[in-house]
Amino acid sequence: MSSNQITIKDIARILGISASTVSRALKNHPDISEATKKAVNELAKKLNYEPNAVALSLKHSRSNTIGVIIPEIVHYFFSSVISGIEDVAYDAGFTVIICQSNERYDREVANVKALLSHRVDGVLVAISKETHQYDHIFAIQDRNVPMVFFDRVIPEIETDHVIIDDQKASYEATKHLIDGGRKRIAHFAGPKNLSIGIERRVGYEQALKDANLPVIPELIIEADSFEKAIKATNKLLDMENPPDGIFAVNDLTAIGAMQTLQKRGIKIPKQIAVVGFSDGRFSGITDPTLTSVDQHGYEMGSVATKMLLRRLLNPNYDAPAQSHVLDANLIVRGSSI
Amino acid sequence: MSSNQITIKDIARILGISASTVSRALKNHPDISEATKKAVNELAKKLNYEPNAVALSLKHSRSNTIGVIIPEIVHYFFSSVISGIEDVAYDAGFTVIICQSNERYDREVANVKALLSHRVDGVLVAISKETHQYDHIFAIQDRNVPMVFFDRVIPEIETDHVIIDDQKASYEATKHLIDGGRKRIAHFAGPKNLSIGIERRVGYEQALKDANLPVIPELIIEADSFEKAIKATNKLLDMENPPDGIFAVNDLTAIGAMQTLQKRGIKIPKQIAVVGFSDGRFSGITDPTLTSVDQHGYEMGSVATKMLLRRLLNPNYDAPAQSHVLDANLIVRGSSI
DNA sequence: GTGAAAGCGCTAACAA
DNA sequence: TTGTTAGCGCTTTCAC
């Protein structure tokens, strides 16, 4: 398994010149004679010479590498984010190292360690749900490694971040139902200890208030899984005065609602309209198709990476931490109109 | 932005000893006195010293890094594979660099270049659909960098690989329909130029033959998108003698079929049973839930990585290329029983 | 126009 | 028990 990697030395030896000359010839240094350049470049090509990025990293104390810490790659949203990160990083000549925390604190700490050890030039982090202690994050800052948070933010930590305006998106979604004439809109809410749970609920309530509609506690049910949504929908339908619209905290619960409604003979959207919050690609394949908020994962990844590159590429750029808030817009489909 | 990374030299300087002593103390070398070890380790801890993986890579000509080239991370199957890769690699102390080809040949070539430049110790590749020329792959072999193919295989290239037994899985799926008493089973087929298209169709046909059922050309329709599935289903229903079962090449088309059937008042599975081939996580949230083949993406990633590690960790292991075929098993749900 | 030498951080053979 | 030195591949200053 002896490695066959060609080095500058190999080229130098073959051509009977020095390594430094080869190095210069390869970067088209003006001092080098055309003849030498030609010989070097031809041989390099012939031997499939590829500069050793590891040596370059060590030499320049810059690895041209970005580290990413993400909770779970298998979520459609997060994999879209990664796609956005990869594309932008790639265009800027950076390599991306992705680590999954699997929503675990200990794993996240290990990830940080690995990335720092690899001397990544910057990191993009979506903090795990389990993380409530931040020494490992401070370690990144201590080393002056630029960092951008995305999607999940820790208020105590001052660093660039890009998030979605969940509250506004929920407001829009609810308003869309109101504009469609709905007066009793239920909400399947997320957990109260998660910011998305809170933000989406606040947006919902605000839209009701702004339209002079009452916020009815019985119509707000904590339900963030498919099964819970089915139960919650049945509960709503069993009420004396059922809702005429449902705004669900995510698509999965919206789909649970739709199926239950249909099973009980309710017409969507005629009798009850349904709006979800996109976390998959289910919305296009339900029947009717599901009106939902598009979270723009790809854009989030690309924006976050650009924010990071801005600091990486201009070492004297030292503006204070920026907050970039993405608009998440409503995609209106069949379930609500 | 001056980097604050602590080095062995820093520790040596502070303690007034040599760098090599520090190095040895950190790895608990028996020659070093307890006192020195203690001092070094305490200071290292205090300063948050993290070994420079870049320097180690250069020194050892081993980067402890695995490169992955994958078509598109946003597919659930591929992101599951990555999860499997990450977990196994992580446990073995390896870092993973993921590159997306986006199903493009030029991008894949660039990915290989980047990974070779980073001197990854081994690579895991699922070749892009667009790739029909293999110089970049040969370049990997030329450098004696161990490589494992997963999911997509190039017969001409001899290297370890792990694939799914598509044919067998399709056979099982079709047989399951036959066992349920279905006699006219339609097939939504994938493109004829893709191995999954061919394999799945062959498995379907073989199951029919083994059960002495005729292979009816009109019941085999090329349909690998949601929209095509809807059209195809309508076409089937308009036949004089419609099918009593549908085996679809993927879940998306199976769902298209189900919706069309339901729209036209057909009961699933009573009148027509439907089976899909899993490429998402739709199967649990349809109504009825969808019987489908589980592709075991996570397992594929973990097996592929283990095959790679076997070569990386035992340099004298040089068995010929192995082929690992995973069983993809049928998950029976409501759409077929 | 080209070469020699030093150094990025770390390790290991060799000295002391 | 510890230090010195050389070297992994590359770049860059300084010499010639």
Side-chain angles (χ1 to χ4, degrees), chain B residues 10 15 27 30 34 53 57 65 70 98 157 163 260 294-295 320:
Chain B
D10 295 323
L15 294 178
K27 9 184 47 90
E34 285 307 322
S57 296
T65 299
I70 207 154
I98 294 161
I157 295 180
I163 48 173
T260 312
D294 184 343
Q295 284 184 93

Side-chain angles (χ1 to χ4, degrees), chain A residues 35-223:
Chain A
T36 309
K37 275 185 197 167
K38 187 154 173 275
V40 168
N41 282 301
E42 277 174 1
L43 185 57
K45 184 146 203 179
K46 182 168 156 239
L47 298 178
N48 257 312
Y49 168 77
E50 207 60 72
N52 184 327
V54 175
L56 289 172
S57 295
L58 187 59
K59 179 75 191 163
H60 293 134
S61 309
R62 274 208 308 109
S63 58
N64 264 274
T65 300
I66 292 172
V68 179
I69 299 178
I70 207 151
E72 296 206 272
I73 221 174
V74 292
H75 290 332
Y76 178 69
F77 173 69
F78 284 129
S79 57
S80 321
V81 174
I82 290 179
S83 239
I85 292 171
E86 279 244 324
D87 282 355
V88 174
Y90 175 93
D91 285 346
F94 280 74
T95 304
V96 177
I97 295 179
I98 295 163
C99 302
Q100 286 188 86
S101 66
N102 288 316
E103 302 282 11
R104 277 173 44 191
Y105 167 74
D106 59 336
R107 193 89 181 227
E108 192 176 274
V109 172
N111 290 337
V112 168
K113 219 167 161 176
L115 292 180
L116 288 179
S117 176
H118 277 266
R119 299 298 192 265
V120 294
D121 297 332
V123 290
L124 300 169
V125 184
I127 218 84
S128 102
K129 279 185 195 162
E130 210 195 53
T131 301
H132 302 108
Q133 197 194 321
Y134 308 125
D135 285 352
H136 58 306
I137 303 295
F138 293 133
I140 297 172
Q141 296 188 310
D142 285 350
R143 281 154 209 237
N144 290 333
V145 175
M147 169 171 63
V148 177
F149 281 155
F150 61 92
D151 190 52
R152 315 254 185 102
V153 170
I154 303 168
E156 298 95 298
I157 295 181
E158 195 182 316
T159 194
D160 285 351
H161 63 262
V162 39
I163 48 172
I164 273 168
D165 195 336
D166 268 314
Q167 193 175 321
K168 186 173 163 209
S170 297
Y171 184 95
E172 300 290 346
T174 311
K175 186 168 178 303
H176 164 70
L177 287 169
I178 297 170
D179 290 348
R182 315 289 164 168
K183 304 240 175 289
R184 285 180 64 80
I185 300 167
H187 176 47
F188 290 170
K192 277 192 285 286
N193 62 334
L194 244 75
S195 80
I196 59 162
I198 301 164
E199 296 292 325
R200 293 181 190 174
R201 180 177 176 150
V202 168
Y204 155 82
E205 294 188 358
Q206 194 56 50
L208 294 182
K209 284 175 195 155
D210 286 357
N212 291 316
L213 289 173
V215 173
I216 305 168
E218 301 90 70
L219 293 184
I220 301 176
I221 305 180
E222 206 169 296

Side-chain angles (χ1 to χ4, degrees), chain A residues 1-7 47-58 61-65 72-76 79-84 86-87 90-91 95-100 102 106-107 110-111 113-121 139 141-146 226 252 255 259 262-263 281-282 284-287 311-312 314-315, chain B residues 1-7 47-58 61 63-65 72-76 79-84 86-87 90-91 95-100 102 106-108 110-111 113-121 139 141-146 226 252 255 259 262-263 281-282 284-287 311-312 314-315:
Chain A
M1 213 188 71
S2 82
S3 184
N4 285 341
Q5 312 275 27
I6 305 296
T7 73
L47 298 178
N48 257 312
Y49 168 77
E50 207 60 72
N52 184 327
V54 175
L56 289 172
S57 295
L58 187 59
S61 309
R62 274 208 308 109
S63 58
N64 264 274
T65 300
E72 296 206 272
I73 221 174
V74 292
H75 290 332
Y76 178 69
S79 57
S80 321
V81 174
I82 290 179
S83 239
E86 279 244 324
D87 282 355
Y90 175 93
D91 285 346
T95 304
V96 177
I97 295 179
I98 295 163
C99 302
Q100 286 188 86
N102 288 316
D106 59 336
R107 193 89 181 227
N111 290 337
K113 219 167 161 176
L115 292 180
L116 288 179
S117 176
H118 277 266
R119 299 298 192 265
V120 294
D121 297 332
Q141 296 188 310
D142 285 350
R143 281 154 209 237
N144 290 333
V145 175
F226 189 65
L252 213 57
I255 292 170
Q259 283 183 16
Q262 287 169 332
K263 219 163 247 174
R281 4 185 185 176
F282 310 128
I285 60 157
T286 55
D287 183 24
R311 294 194 188 263
L312 295 184
N314 316 309
Chain B
M1 211 187 70
S2 82
S3 185
N4 285 342
Q5 311 276 28
I6 306 295
T7 72
L47 297 179
N48 257 311
Y49 168 77
E50 208 60 71
N52 185 327
V54 175
L56 288 172
S57 296
L58 187 59
S61 308
S63 58
N64 263 272
T65 299
E72 296 206 273
I73 221 173
V74 292
H75 290 331
Y76 178 70
S79 58
S80 318
V81 174
I82 291 179
S83 243
E86 279 243 324
D87 282 354
Y90 174 94
D91 285 345
T95 304
V96 177
I97 295 181
I98 294 161
C99 301
Q100 285 186 86
N102 287 315
D106 60 336
R107 194 86 182 231
E108 192 176 275
N111 290 338
K113 219 168 160 172
L115 292 179
L116 287 180
S117 176
H118 276 268
R119 299 297 191 265
V120 294
D121 297 332
Q141 296 188 311
D142 285 349
R143 282 154 208 238
N144 290 335
V145 175
F226 189 66
L252 213 58
I255 292 171
Q259 284 183 17
Q262 287 169 332
K263 218 164 248 171
R281 8 179 180 184
F282 309 128
I285 61 157
T286 54
D287 184 21
R311 293 194 188 264
L312 295 184
N314 316 311

